[in-house]
Amino acid sequence: VGDGLRVGVLGCGNVGAALCRLVVDHADIIQARAGTALDVVAVAVRDIGRTRDVPVAADVFTMDPAAVVQDPTVDIVVEVMGGIEPARSLILDALAAGKPVVTANKELLASHATELLAAAEATGVDLLFEASVGGGIPLIRPLRESLAGDRIRRVLGIVNGTTNFILTRMTEDGSPFGEVLADAQRLGYAEADPTADVGGHDAAAKAAILASIAFGAQVVAEDVAREGIAGVTADDIASARELGYVVKLLAVAEEEGGAVAVRVHPAMVPVSHPLASVRDSFNAIFIEGAAVGQLMLYGRGAGGGPTASAVLGDLIDAARNLRGGSRGATIGTLVRKPVRPLDELHSRFYIAMDVADRPNVLSQIAGVFGRHEVSIESVFQKGLGDEARLNIVTHTAHEREMRAVLAEVRELDVVDRVQSVIRVIGDDG
Amino acid sequence: VGDGLRVGVLGCGNVGAALCRLVVDHADIIQARAGTALDVVAVAVRDIGRTRDVPVAADVFTMDPAAVVQDPTVDIVVEVMGGIEPARSLILDALAAGKPVVTANKELLASHATELLAAAEATGVDLLFEASVGGGIPLIRPLRESLAGDRIRRVLGIVNGTTNFILTRMTEDGSPFGEVLADAQRLGYAEADPTADVGGHDAAAKAAILASIAFGAQVVAEDVAREGIAGVTADDIASARELGYVVKLLAVAEEEGGAVAVRVHPAMVPVSHPLASVRDSFNAIFIEGAAVGQLMLYGRGAGGGPTASAVLGDLIDAARNLRGGSRGATIGTLVRKPVRPLDELHSRFYIAMDVADRPNVLSQIAGVFGRHEVSIESVFQKGLGDEARLNIVTHTAHEREMRAVLAEVRELDVVDRVQSVIRVIGDDG
């Protein structure tokens, strides 16, 4: 330990350990870019007895995270422990003590960003969280700084690696969801309880953070309309391919007329769209700005190395600002903006339904669509007799009307069931 | 004009005019993010008589750019006039006067970055140039700040929209180079004299800037080994497709063992590589970092709106720093590093040659490859008799050995001519 800035790290899982290694391996780069060395002087862990592949002295570990934050010799705090508490209280304490904080905590930011940013504003210190969305992909700094003068209209993101891996395998191997999920679990790409990923909860948290940053708005995970991928069938994926689309789990955040709309759901994306070629566990964020047009930022959305790279970028920023007695660009205070409910949104829809193959089926179904003024773009019938399936793609329609159509269609004698409803994204949205 | 920071703009072409419009249209965003208004108080133009669609008062225009720089009431200078002189002297004068400078000048940065950055260091003011490469795509800030703690190994870029448009049309329509170029010229996508784009000069300038930023190295456009796309045939593109590749004009910058290597040339990129789906006039930079892994940043590489968006992002950064009495992250001083000549580099190669269809042709040709220890991965023969063509893909080989092979192969009686030599990029490089 030398005379560099003194860093306290809360948590030593994948990201914390990778960070400690990077601080040592990239000491030359850090010195050059931060203008100072960084010394990890304290690492708070849950189990101090565990052996760790981390290049720090044994006496650096502690089981008392509060002591790390309160240690007057710790200049900067890195929070990579995850979860709401005690992370939230520890960060608030650090900020109150005037210490810059770097965090990778998606769950916390998606629920308490307003409070945390206000605390950072109150004491005028840096609170940086590039790693909380999109792992190693630079997202927050580009949105906050590079595009500072632009008006962001929409952000479309593939922000969950597990579901993108599953959908990629379903697309490329033609396997059904359950089989691919089991494979992913065996390979360690999916958790034993896959709900957080498959149900879209992880993506919804990230969507809330992206919307907060892109629009400066108070958006939390509960504001995000959410649908997972468990209902996506091999049939849907095959139909998508025939129509020139691939199925992706998208986080969509928009601002229009001062109101924001944020949702997570499976979507058909045209094969020519840049998001369509984001394969396996990669993440990407597609941004539409008034002046800049279309942008995409692509990379590894998870993993120790990529996430630690983003944490270290923030840490160098905070260190440089601390040395210069200045403060980095801030998000400022998040503003309360109306959140538009899903019902008011609109998109194109793909609907797959099992129908009886009788002469007047289509006219009955089309009649329902027509009465609700949902215009049909194309219809394909597959199979014959009792095995018939109808695939319908609509023109742009409101969610509310679409829901009314589906309720009514389900009542028709000729419709056995509505198998899938998937929103369809155009090349221009 | 109010009490905001006072901005002097040098040049009022596409980018300057778009910037002036954005400063007015996005005044609310600028105030929120910069913490101050920005007022464009002077715009230097070449022809003051020309009518311009720019929302500034007529007396703001001047034909004396030096007066704009010297005006003591101008706080920040934006240089969007292009070219080396007088842009270089004007920027140096502004920096010497302690005024932050934002520039979009690719040509100047590609030749004088070392001098300009040293001048900025000397007076401790911001010199920002996000818009000089990749138009509206955030590249320099992510490389300089987000990845500040990472070790960049390689940057692969599609940085010229005109050539990417031409190669995309050749790929998707199967048309020959000359025909697509003529179309592009008619549509305004290519200049009447297309040399700067087609010959790879524009891409080489951008490659020099990217290498300078990624590696902190003194690299100028003349250090860049350069080959354009005029020699790429419809045949090459068809062969690429059969092999699972698309042809792209790539800027490649690498650092290994303290030496940098920078080149621009057509390359076969696997269809599964993220760069393969960058179509038409879009640009993208693919970055490989030690910790972050693979990243790609994609968007509009040119045009008034996107470029002005990047300039305004820099301008807000400079304004915020000026108000805070601080300075943004700097590139620092560029270091002289050895530049490895093309001869020492290696890659896989695709070679197309017209040959006589005689029994011992392949053994003669393969013999030459073998003697120079260039290992052949695959061989395809197309056509018969005097029309026969041989397509060879090699394993990784040195440029020097490949050149020796080609010289010797050209001497063979059975070889009519070597039509094309295109480097081949793998999924992992």
Side-chain angles (χ1 to χ4, degrees), chain A residues 168-184:
Chain A
T168 303
R169 294 274 54 85
M170 288 177 73
T171 302
E172 298 184 1
D173 307 341
S175 314
F177 171 77
E179 199 175 288
V180 177
L181 173 61
D183 277 354

Side-chain angles (χ1 to χ4, degrees), chain B residues 169-249:
Chain B
R169 295 273 56 83
M170 288 176 74
T171 301
E172 298 184 2
D173 307 341
S175 315
F177 172 76
E179 199 175 287
V180 177
L181 173 60
D183 277 354
Q185 287 172 315
R186 207 172 43 238
L187 294 166
Y189 293 134
E191 312 263 348
D193 176 359
T195 316
D197 292 319
V198 166
H201 301 272
D202 173 81
K206 291 165 177 167
I209 300 173
L210 283 174
S212 303
I213 306 314
F215 309 126
Q218 295 181 7
V219 178
V220 296
E222 289 94 76
D223 294 325
V224 182
R226 180 185 47 74
E227 188 182 305
I229 65 161
V232 176
T233 67
D235 239 39
D236 295 332
I237 285 182
S239 298
R241 186 200 305 262
E242 286 161 27
L243 293 164
Y245 294 87
V246 291
V247 179
K248 295 290 185 190
L249 182 68

Side-chain angles (χ1 to χ4, degrees), chain B residues 41-102:
Chain B
V41 296
V43 178
V45 296
R46 208 174 302 166
D47 174 8
I48 206 163
R50 218 177 107 194
T51 310
R52 290 180 169 84
D53 176 22
V54 178
V56 298
D59 64 357
V60 161
F61 291 108
T62 167
M63 287 175 70
D64 186 355
V68 174
V69 170
Q70 283 147 22
D71 180 344
T73 75
V74 165
D75 300 307
I76 305 182
V77 173
V78 174
E79 186 274 305
V80 285
M81 63 202 305
I84 306 292
E85 286 294 355
R88 173 183 155 275
S89 302
L90 291 164
I91 291 175
L92 290 172
D93 287 348
L95 294 172
K99 297 181 187 189
V101 173
V102 175

Side-chain angles (χ1 to χ4, degrees), chain A residues 25-26 28-29 33 136 138 141 145 148-151 274 277 291-292 294-296 298-299 305-306 309 312 316 320 326 329, chain B residues 25-26 28-29 33 136 138 145-146 148-151 274 277 291-292 294-296 298-299 305-306 309 312 316 320 326 329:
Chain A
D25 293 349
H26 290 183
D28 55 333
I29 292 178
R33 309 245 170 110
R141 191 169 277 102
E145 298 180 38
D150 212 338
R151 212 177 286 278
S277 51
V292 79
Q294 304 183 329
L295 277 184
M296 188 172 81
Y298 164 101
S309 168
L312 185 51
I316 289 174
R320 199 172 39 216
S326 68
Chain B
D25 293 349
H26 290 184
D28 55 334
I29 292 177
R33 310 245 167 109
E145 299 181 38
S146 307
D150 212 337
R151 213 177 287 278
S277 51
V292 79
Q294 303 183 329
L295 277 185
M296 188 171 82
Y298 164 100
S309 169
L312 185 52
I316 289 174
R320 200 172 39 218
S326 69

Side-chain angles (χ1 to χ4, degrees), chain A residues 22 25-30 33 130 136-139 141-152 213-216 272 274 277 279 282 286 290-300 304-310 312-314 316-317 320-321 324 326-330, chain B residues 22 25-30 33 130 136-139 141-152 213-216 272 274 277 279 282 286 290-300 304-310 312-314 316-317 320-321 324 326-330:
Chain A
L22 271 186
D25 293 349
H26 290 183
D28 55 333
I29 292 178
I30 293 168
R33 309 245 170 110
E130 179 67 80
I137 310 172
L139 292 179
R141 191 169 277 102
L143 279 170
R144 185 184 65 179
E145 298 180 38
S146 308
L147 299 173
D150 212 338
R151 212 177 286 278
I152 307 299
I213 307 314
F215 309 126
S272 58
S277 51
R279 298 169 61 245
F282 277 93
F286 188 81
V292 79
Q294 304 183 329
L295 277 184
M296 188 172 81
L297 311 170
Y298 164 101
R300 287 269 171 219
T307 309
S309 168
L312 185 51
D314 278 353
I316 289 174
D317 195 2
R320 199 172 39 216
N321 292 333
S326 68
R327 199 177 166 211
T330 67
Chain B
L22 271 186
D25 293 349
H26 290 184
D28 55 334
I29 292 177
I30 293 167
R33 310 245 167 109
E130 179 66 81
I137 310 171
L139 294 178
R141 191 169 277 102
L143 280 170
R144 184 185 66 179
E145 299 181 38
S146 307
L147 299 173
D150 212 337
R151 213 177 287 278
I152 308 298
I213 306 314
F215 309 126
S272 58
S277 51
R279 299 168 60 243
F282 277 92
F286 188 81
V292 79
Q294 303 183 329
L295 277 185
M296 188 171 82
L297 311 170
Y298 164 100
R300 287 269 170 221
T307 309
S309 169
L312 185 52
D314 278 353
I316 289 174
D317 195 2
R320 200 172 39 218
N321 293 332
S326 69
R327 201 180 164 208
T330 67

